[in-house]
Amino acid sequence: MQGTYEYTRDNHRLPACWKTENDACEPHFHSSIEVLYVLKGQIRAALNGRPALVGEGEFLISPSYTVHYYQTEAYSYAYVLTIPTEAIPSYKSFLSKKTFANCCCKDRSGGEMRHCLEALNRLTLEGEEESIRRLNTIKGYVYVLFGLMLEESGVQDVSENQNTSLAKDILTYLQAHYQGDLTLDALAQTFGYSKSRFSHLFHEYFGSGISEYVNTLRCKAAAEALARHEVSMVEIAMGVGFESARTFYRAFKRCYGMTPSQYASRHTAGKVYRPGAAGGKSIFG
């Protein structure tokens, strides 16, 4: 459940690949390239406000700094791969001027893409060892996968429009100020739009209302505090920006599919939950 700019994601030096069931996440962006490959079911996604439906045997590419989010309406099982641009130096300069022409594509590689993802998933699960053999193996699979993706998607010149930049600015601003009193009036004024226009732009790019998105950021921060067991529930609720414990409980249950107390107990038992996981409900679904 990462909102706005994923600073922690961009601290990772190596590609990482994992499997996810019923994936859902709120809008976010990072410098790493992210690849979603659906093994079963369907995932609804959006890249810079443009919707995409990714079905079985299809993949979605989120280029660097592209605002994206996922939601599962029925069932999905997929790979997610993140590739820091530093891990593909031969492509890094190329991607500063070019991007993928079609970000949602059918896999026509005859199993080669899945083979690369399976190998990268296995290497990710092995840990953080940085032996020459492991690094070269990861690099090899990533380059093969990248070539296959480019063959399917094609390339085009990079052209970032004004609204794309605005989306990044909004997410970054909300991440820095979610604990405060964020109103539509104040946000519209901050970014120089009328209330109706700003509300429309927000929903177009992020697939939710402003209050729902802000509450999700607050619930994420609350979940981290609950995991540490440092302060009381009321102190946590007030600390992340909720006006009352009742509002906090209601928002947290909607976000995580359980009460804050249940989350704290399950986290203590070694089970970590996030919005969109089994039993949880994404604000975008």
Side-chain angles (χ1 to χ4, degrees), residues 70-87:
Y70 310 139
Q71 63 178 357
T72 297
E73 295 179 348
Y75 176 77
S76 68
Y77 189 53
Y79 280 115
V80 177
L81 169 68
T82 55
I83 308 172
T85 54
E86 289 74 12

PDB file of all heavy atoms in Angstrom, residues 70-87:
ATOM      1  N   TYR A  70      -3.718  -0.218  -9.418  1.00  0.00           N
ATOM      2  CA  TYR A  70      -4.357  -1.469  -9.805  1.00  0.00           C
ATOM      3  C   TYR A  70      -5.587  -1.717  -8.934  1.00  0.00           C
ATOM      4  O   TYR A  70      -5.646  -1.275  -7.788  1.00  0.00           O
ATOM      5  CB  TYR A  70      -3.414  -2.672  -9.617  1.00  0.00           C
ATOM      6  CG  TYR A  70      -2.045  -2.537 -10.218  1.00  0.00           C
ATOM      7  CD1 TYR A  70      -0.923  -2.987  -9.531  1.00  0.00           C
ATOM      8  CD2 TYR A  70      -1.849  -1.975 -11.479  1.00  0.00           C
ATOM      9  CE1 TYR A  70       0.356  -2.883 -10.076  1.00  0.00           C
ATOM     10  CE2 TYR A  70      -0.585  -1.870 -12.031  1.00  0.00           C
ATOM     11  CZ  TYR A  70       0.510  -2.320 -11.321  1.00  0.00           C
ATOM     12  OH  TYR A  70       1.773  -2.206 -11.864  1.00  0.00           O
ATOM     13  N   GLN A  71      -6.533  -2.492  -9.471  1.00  0.00           N
ATOM     14  CA  GLN A  71      -7.650  -2.991  -8.676  1.00  0.00           C
ATOM     15  C   GLN A  71      -8.129  -4.309  -9.252  1.00  0.00           C
ATOM     16  O   GLN A  71      -8.098  -4.511 -10.470  1.00  0.00           O
ATOM     17  CB  GLN A  71      -8.792  -1.979  -8.620  1.00  0.00           C
ATOM     18  CG  GLN A  71      -9.431  -1.660  -9.966  1.00  0.00           C
ATOM     19  CD  GLN A  71     -10.588  -0.688  -9.845  1.00  0.00           C
ATOM     20  OE1 GLN A  71     -10.952  -0.289  -8.744  1.00  0.00           O
ATOM     21  NE2 GLN A  71     -11.176  -0.308 -10.961  1.00  0.00           N
ATOM     22  N   THR A  72      -8.532  -5.217  -8.376  1.00  0.00           N
ATOM     23  CA  THR A  72      -9.079  -6.505  -8.786  1.00  0.00           C
ATOM     24  C   THR A  72     -10.557  -6.534  -8.434  1.00  0.00           C
ATOM     25  O   THR A  72     -10.914  -6.335  -7.275  1.00  0.00           O
ATOM     26  CB  THR A  72      -8.365  -7.664  -8.066  1.00  0.00           C
ATOM     27  OG1 THR A  72      -6.989  -7.676  -8.453  1.00  0.00           O
ATOM     28  CG2 THR A  72      -9.001  -8.995  -8.441  1.00  0.00           C
ATOM     29  N   GLU A  73     -11.402  -6.777  -9.421  1.00  0.00           N
ATOM     30  CA  GLU A  73     -12.843  -6.794  -9.171  1.00  0.00           C
ATOM     31  C   GLU A  73     -13.343  -8.181  -8.784  1.00  0.00           C
ATOM     32  O   GLU A  73     -14.264  -8.308  -7.985  1.00  0.00           O
ATOM     33  CB  GLU A  73     -13.580  -6.299 -10.414  1.00  0.00           C
ATOM     34  CG  GLU A  73     -13.283  -4.836 -10.737  1.00  0.00           C
ATOM     35  CD  GLU A  73     -13.999  -4.347 -11.982  1.00  0.00           C
ATOM     36  OE1 GLU A  73     -14.539  -5.200 -12.719  1.00  0.00           O
ATOM     37  OE2 GLU A  73     -14.025  -3.123 -12.204  1.00  0.00           O
ATOM     38  N   ALA A  74     -12.769  -9.231  -9.346  1.00  0.00           N
ATOM     39  CA  ALA A  74     -13.206 -10.596  -9.031  1.00  0.00           C
ATOM     40  C   ALA A  74     -12.033 -11.416  -8.491  1.00  0.00           C
ATOM     41  O   ALA A  74     -11.965 -11.725  -7.302  1.00  0.00           O
ATOM     42  CB  ALA A  74     -13.803 -11.257 -10.266  1.00  0.00           C
ATOM     43  N   TYR A  75     -11.090 -11.745  -9.356  1.00  0.00           N
ATOM     44  CA  TYR A  75      -9.924 -12.526  -8.931  1.00  0.00           C
ATOM     45  C   TYR A  75      -8.766 -12.237  -9.869  1.00  0.00           C
ATOM     46  O   TYR A  75      -8.950 -12.020 -11.067  1.00  0.00           O
ATOM     47  CB  TYR A  75     -10.222 -14.030  -8.958  1.00  0.00           C
ATOM     48  CG  TYR A  75      -9.011 -14.871  -8.618  1.00  0.00           C
ATOM     49  CD1 TYR A  75      -8.590 -15.007  -7.299  1.00  0.00           C
ATOM     50  CD2 TYR A  75      -8.264 -15.486  -9.617  1.00  0.00           C
ATOM     51  CE1 TYR A  75      -7.455 -15.761  -6.981  1.00  0.00           C
ATOM     52  CE2 TYR A  75      -7.136 -16.238  -9.319  1.00  0.00           C
ATOM     53  CZ  TYR A  75      -6.739 -16.366  -7.990  1.00  0.00           C
ATOM     54  OH  TYR A  75      -5.614 -17.092  -7.687  1.00  0.00           O
ATOM     55  N   SER A  76      -7.561 -12.217  -9.297  1.00  0.00           N
ATOM     56  CA  SER A  76      -6.358 -12.080 -10.123  1.00  0.00           C
ATOM     57  C   SER A  76      -5.172 -12.733  -9.435  1.00  0.00           C
ATOM     58  O   SER A  76      -5.104 -12.806  -8.200  1.00  0.00           O
ATOM     59  CB  SER A  76      -6.033 -10.606 -10.392  1.00  0.00           C
ATOM     60  OG  SER A  76      -5.619  -9.950  -9.193  1.00  0.00           O
ATOM     61  N   TYR A  77      -4.289 -13.242 -10.234  1.00  0.00           N
ATOM     62  CA  TYR A  77      -3.017 -13.812  -9.770  1.00  0.00           C
ATOM     63  C   TYR A  77      -1.970 -13.346 -10.763  1.00  0.00           C
ATOM     64  O   TYR A  77      -2.123 -13.550 -11.976  1.00  0.00           O
ATOM     65  CB  TYR A  77      -3.109 -15.335  -9.735  1.00  0.00           C
ATOM     66  CG  TYR A  77      -1.937 -16.025  -9.071  1.00  0.00           C
ATOM     67  CD1 TYR A  77      -1.518 -15.672  -7.794  1.00  0.00           C
ATOM     68  CD2 TYR A  77      -1.255 -17.038  -9.732  1.00  0.00           C
ATOM     69  CE1 TYR A  77      -0.451 -16.316  -7.182  1.00  0.00           C
ATOM     70  CE2 TYR A  77      -0.191 -17.697  -9.133  1.00  0.00           C
ATOM     71  CZ  TYR A  77       0.208 -17.326  -7.854  1.00  0.00           C
ATOM     72  OH  TYR A  77       1.271 -17.955  -7.258  1.00  0.00           O
ATOM     73  N   ALA A  78      -0.937 -12.693 -10.277  1.00  0.00           N
ATOM     74  CA  ALA A  78      -0.035 -12.020 -11.212  1.00  0.00           C
ATOM     75  C   ALA A  78       1.382 -11.924 -10.666  1.00  0.00           C
ATOM     76  O   ALA A  78       1.625 -12.082  -9.468  1.00  0.00           O
ATOM     77  CB  ALA A  78      -0.563 -10.612 -11.512  1.00  0.00           C
ATOM     78  N   TYR A  79       2.300 -11.651 -11.575  1.00  0.00           N
ATOM     79  CA  TYR A  79       3.655 -11.246 -11.219  1.00  0.00           C
ATOM     80  C   TYR A  79       3.723  -9.718 -11.230  1.00  0.00           C
ATOM     81  O   TYR A  79       3.112  -9.064 -12.080  1.00  0.00           O
ATOM     82  CB  TYR A  79       4.667 -11.751 -12.250  1.00  0.00           C
ATOM     83  CG  TYR A  79       5.086 -13.190 -12.130  1.00  0.00           C
ATOM     84  CD1 TYR A  79       4.768 -14.109 -13.129  1.00  0.00           C
ATOM     85  CD2 TYR A  79       5.835 -13.635 -11.040  1.00  0.00           C
ATOM     86  CE1 TYR A  79       5.164 -15.431 -13.045  1.00  0.00           C
ATOM     87  CE2 TYR A  79       6.232 -14.963 -10.946  1.00  0.00           C
ATOM     88  CZ  TYR A  79       5.898 -15.848 -11.946  1.00  0.00           C
ATOM     89  OH  TYR A  79       6.292 -17.155 -11.860  1.00  0.00           O
ATOM     90  N   VAL A  80       4.484  -9.172 -10.308  1.00  0.00           N
ATOM     91  CA  VAL A  80       4.853  -7.760 -10.353  1.00  0.00           C
ATOM     92  C   VAL A  80       6.378  -7.691 -10.323  1.00  0.00           C
ATOM     93  O   VAL A  80       7.014  -8.315  -9.469  1.00  0.00           O
ATOM     94  CB  VAL A  80       4.271  -6.962  -9.172  1.00  0.00           C
ATOM     95  CG1 VAL A  80       4.749  -5.511  -9.216  1.00  0.00           C
ATOM     96  CG2 VAL A  80       2.745  -6.997  -9.198  1.00  0.00           C
ATOM     97  N   LEU A  81       6.934  -6.960 -11.254  1.00  0.00           N
ATOM     98  CA  LEU A  81       8.386  -6.814 -11.356  1.00  0.00           C
ATOM     99  C   LEU A  81       8.739  -5.332 -11.354  1.00  0.00           C
ATOM    100  O   LEU A  81       8.152  -4.556 -12.110  1.00  0.00           O
ATOM    101  CB  LEU A  81       8.900  -7.462 -12.646  1.00  0.00           C
ATOM    102  CG  LEU A  81      10.357  -7.174 -13.044  1.00  0.00           C
ATOM    103  CD1 LEU A  81      11.331  -7.822 -12.058  1.00  0.00           C
ATOM    104  CD2 LEU A  81      10.622  -7.636 -14.471  1.00  0.00           C
ATOM    105  N   THR A  82       9.669  -4.933 -10.514  1.00  0.00           N
ATOM    106  CA  THR A  82      10.179  -3.565 -10.553  1.00  0.00           C
ATOM    107  C   THR A  82      11.641  -3.601 -10.997  1.00  0.00           C
ATOM    108  O   THR A  82      12.425  -4.439 -10.540  1.00  0.00           O
ATOM    109  CB  THR A  82      10.082  -2.882  -9.180  1.00  0.00           C
ATOM    110  OG1 THR A  82      10.750  -3.656  -8.183  1.00  0.00           O
ATOM    111  CG2 THR A  82       8.620  -2.702  -8.774  1.00  0.00           C
ATOM    112  N   ILE A  83      11.969  -2.686 -11.905  1.00  0.00           N
ATOM    113  CA  ILE A  83      13.318  -2.651 -12.486  1.00  0.00           C
ATOM    114  C   ILE A  83      13.902  -1.253 -12.297  1.00  0.00           C
ATOM    115  O   ILE A  83      13.502  -0.309 -13.007  1.00  0.00           O
ATOM    116  CB  ILE A  83      13.286  -2.984 -13.991  1.00  0.00           C
ATOM    117  CG1 ILE A  83      12.529  -4.291 -14.252  1.00  0.00           C
ATOM    118  CG2 ILE A  83      14.707  -3.053 -14.549  1.00  0.00           C
ATOM    119  CD1 ILE A  83      12.296  -4.564 -15.737  1.00  0.00           C
ATOM    120  N   PRO A  84      14.834  -1.064 -11.371  1.00  0.00           N
ATOM    121  CA  PRO A  84      15.509   0.238 -11.267  1.00  0.00           C
ATOM    122  C   PRO A  84      16.244   0.529 -12.572  1.00  0.00           C
ATOM    123  O   PRO A  84      16.864  -0.366 -13.158  1.00  0.00           O
ATOM    124  CB  PRO A  84      16.491   0.032 -10.108  1.00  0.00           C
ATOM    125  CG  PRO A  84      15.964  -1.149  -9.349  1.00  0.00           C
ATOM    126  CD  PRO A  84      15.309  -2.026 -10.369  1.00  0.00           C
ATOM    127  N   THR A  85      16.181   1.756 -13.039  1.00  0.00           N
ATOM    128  CA  THR A  85      16.826   2.071 -14.315  1.00  0.00           C
ATOM    129  C   THR A  85      18.339   1.872 -14.246  1.00  0.00           C
ATOM    130  O   THR A  85      18.984   1.609 -15.259  1.00  0.00           O
ATOM    131  CB  THR A  85      16.511   3.511 -14.736  1.00  0.00           C
ATOM    132  OG1 THR A  85      16.851   4.415 -13.673  1.00  0.00           O
ATOM    133  CG2 THR A  85      15.036   3.657 -15.070  1.00  0.00           C
ATOM    134  N   GLU A  86      18.903   1.978 -13.029  1.00  0.00           N
ATOM    135  CA  GLU A  86      20.346   1.752 -12.874  1.00  0.00           C
ATOM    136  C   GLU A  86      20.716   0.305 -13.183  1.00  0.00           C
ATOM    137  O   GLU A  86      21.873   0.002 -13.467  1.00  0.00           O
ATOM    138  CB  GLU A  86      20.799   2.099 -11.449  1.00  0.00           C
ATOM    139  CG  GLU A  86      20.803   3.577 -11.122  1.00  0.00           C
ATOM    140  CD  GLU A  86      19.414   4.147 -10.927  1.00  0.00           C
ATOM    141  OE1 GLU A  86      18.451   3.357 -10.817  1.00  0.00           O
ATOM    142  OE2 GLU A  86      19.286   5.384 -10.889  1.00  0.00           O
ATOM    143  N   ALA A  87      19.728  -0.592 -13.103  1.00  0.00           N
ATOM    144  CA  ALA A  87      19.998  -2.009 -13.358  1.00  0.00           C
ATOM    145  C   ALA A  87      20.044  -2.323 -14.850  1.00  0.00           C
ATOM    146  O   ALA A  87      20.439  -3.424 -15.247  1.00  0.00           O
ATOM    147  CB  ALA A  87      18.935  -2.874 -12.684  1.00  0.00           C
TER     148      ALA A  87
END
